[in-house]
Amino acid sequence: MTEFLLFRERVQDFYQKQDYWLLPLFRAFFAALSFFSVNAVFGHGGASGNPLLLLLLSGLCFFLPWGAVPLFAGALILADLYRVSLFFMLAAAFVFLMILLFQTAFRGGHAELIALVPLLFVLKIPYLAPALCGLFFGLMSFAPLALGTFSYYFLRFLAANAGKVTLESEPEKLVNQMAEIFLGFFEDRGMLLMIFSMVIAMLLIYTIRNMSFRNSWYTAVGAGFSALLLFVFAGSRKGLISISAPGFLLSLLFSVALSCFLTLFFHDADFRAAERLSFEDDEYFYYVKAVPKRRPPAPFPSPSKEEEREDEDEEEEEKGAEIVG
């Protein structure tokens, strides 16, 4: 355990000293993963299938804020849709505009989560998303979490249906066909259940981790993933969600392990050394529970050369006194 604490201290010290470059590098790397995941899900080639363009956009994200990542991802999707179906591109642009307006309306920030959640779906660990939001991003992150989950299902929907509508159809037929296709998507109860499950798990994790009992963060992780397990299995039994039980359990367990590791790395509190303090001012009495962060034991300071010389001089004086005596 001491070696892990020392390693964590070194990593945190290195990040604090080099965060000016590390954060933009991480943002560019995250952007590259997000853009390539768009191509993996959409699969229609075009702009999202051009690796040089994706790398160029990722490099631009090095200099831009986090919100540029989902904006560039949306632009890549629209460029690909333009090659396949103009009407689908216009419909997708309207949906993306609604996502932007919803995200702006809640003013919770963390727009990067709209790109992160689909990436976690592609990596087969989507259940990590509510844990990250509840533990590290705050209450208002439920909005980008829900929008990110919706975006992943919408991307799959576009990949499966983009080629079904062409300009050769009559206008009336075209409108009816588009309405029927999009109405089926928005009535997808499996997608609605997944969004509901993600948000409920995130709110549960956020609520419990803010409580002041021992190991509240680990309890929050357990409660949140238990809720996810319950909702997803219930949806599977009702036929709303199609899952592979072994794959789902493996993804859930991996997400639990990663959440616990992140909690240990960023929020390792030493509850055994907790102290209760009380003080007052002119208006209030304050009762505080102070829980220190777990730190590696301080190394014993090595004696300096001057101290070693002083010890040698003292030893020589003692020997001289013994001889005289």
Side-chain angles (χ1 to χ4, degrees):
M1 187 64 180
T2 303
E3 294 180 358
F4 172 76
L5 295 176
L6 290 171
F7 169 74
R8 186 183 65 185
E9 288 290 323
R10 295 192 194 100
V11 172
Q12 292 176 351
D13 290 342
F14 178 75
Y15 177 78
Q16 290 174 359
K17 294 176 181 177
Q18 306 295 333
D19 64 333
Y20 184 79
W21 298 106
L22 287 178
L23 192 59
L25 281 173
F26 177 73
R27 182 166 56 243
F29 178 69
F30 167 68
L33 289 178
S34 299
F35 299 154
F36 280 100
S37 70
V38 168
N39 181 53
V41 176
F42 194 68
H44 281 281
S48 66
N50 187 339
L52 292 179
L53 177 61
L54 300 185
L55 292 176
L56 176 62
L57 292 177
S58 303
L60 287 176
C61 289
F62 180 92
F63 305 98
L64 298 174
W66 286 98
V69 179
L71 288 178
F72 281 156
L76 287 171
I77 296 170
L78 294 178
D80 287 351
L81 284 174
Y82 179 75
R83 297 175 61 254
V84 180
S85 171
L86 176 62
F87 276 85
F88 254 82
M89 187 206 74
L90 295 175
F94 176 77
V95 173
F96 289 158
L97 178 61
M98 292 298 102
I99 291 175
L100 177 62
L101 292 177
F102 273 113
Q103 171 65 16
T104 306
F106 283 100
R107 298 182 181 178
H110 307 302
E112 66 274 10
L113 290 173
I114 300 177
L116 175 63
V117 176
L119 175 61
L120 293 178
F121 270 97
V122 172
L123 297 176
K124 308 299 182 183
I125 49 173
Y127 312 108
L128 180 63
L132 292 177
C133 293
L135 292 175
F136 303 107
F137 286 95
L139 177 61
M140 296 308 295
S141 63
F142 80 90
L145 172 65
L147 294 174
T149 306
F150 171 84
S151 298
Y152 171 73
Y153 279 91
F154 187 61
L155 186 57
R156 285 180 50 188
F157 162 77
L158 293 176
N161 296 278
K164 294 182 179 180
V165 178
T166 62
L167 294 176
E168 298 175 359
S169 306
E170 297 178 1
E172 187 178 350
K173 244 185 221 185
L174 187 61
V175 172
N176 292 335
Q177 191 176 4
M178 290 280 290
E180 183 179 350
I181 292 174
F182 274 86
L183 187 62
F185 167 72
F186 285 104
E187 291 180 348
D188 183 1
R189 292 187 295 171
M191 176 191 68
L192 298 177
L193 176 62
M194 183 60 69
I195 294 174
F196 177 79
S197 305
M198 292 282 203
V199 172
I200 292 298
M202 175 261 157
L203 293 176
L204 189 61
I205 290 172
Y206 175 80
T207 302
I208 295 177
R209 70 99 162 165
N210 280 314
M211 296 180 178
S212 60
F213 61 88
R214 185 170 183 173
N215 295 323
S216 59
W217 282 51
Y218 294 103
T219 305
V221 169
F225 281 106
S226 298
L228 273 175
L229 180 67
L230 177 65
F231 283 123
V232 173
F233 264 126
S236 177
R237 291 292 299 273
K238 294 290 184 179
L240 301 178
I241 301 176
S242 177
I243 61 168
S244 167
F248 166 70
L249 291 176
L250 185 62
S251 174
L252 195 70
L253 290 175
F254 182 78
S255 299
V256 171
L258 192 53
S259 300
C260 291
F261 173 78
L262 292 174
T263 299
L264 182 65
F265 202 89
F266 293 104
H267 188 81
D268 187 19
D270 187 4
F271 287 93
R272 293 174 299 178
E275 299 180 11
R276 296 188 179 274
L277 310 174
S278 61
F279 51 94
E280 63 180 274
D281 60 17
D282 294 337
E283 297 182 358
Y284 294 97
F285 295 98
Y286 299 91
Y287 299 93
V288 180
K289 180 181 179 181
V291 182
K293 297 180 180 179
R294 199 185 305 273
R295 299 290 184 187
F300 291 103
S302 57
S304 63
K305 293 183 178 180
E306 293 182 359
E307 292 176 347
E308 291 178 354
R309 288 173 185 172
E310 290 177 359
D311 292 339
E312 290 177 358
D313 294 339
E314 289 178 359
E315 290 178 359
E316 290 178 359
E317 290 177 0
E318 291 176 358
K319 289 180 180 180
E322 290 176 357
I323 294 171
V324 172

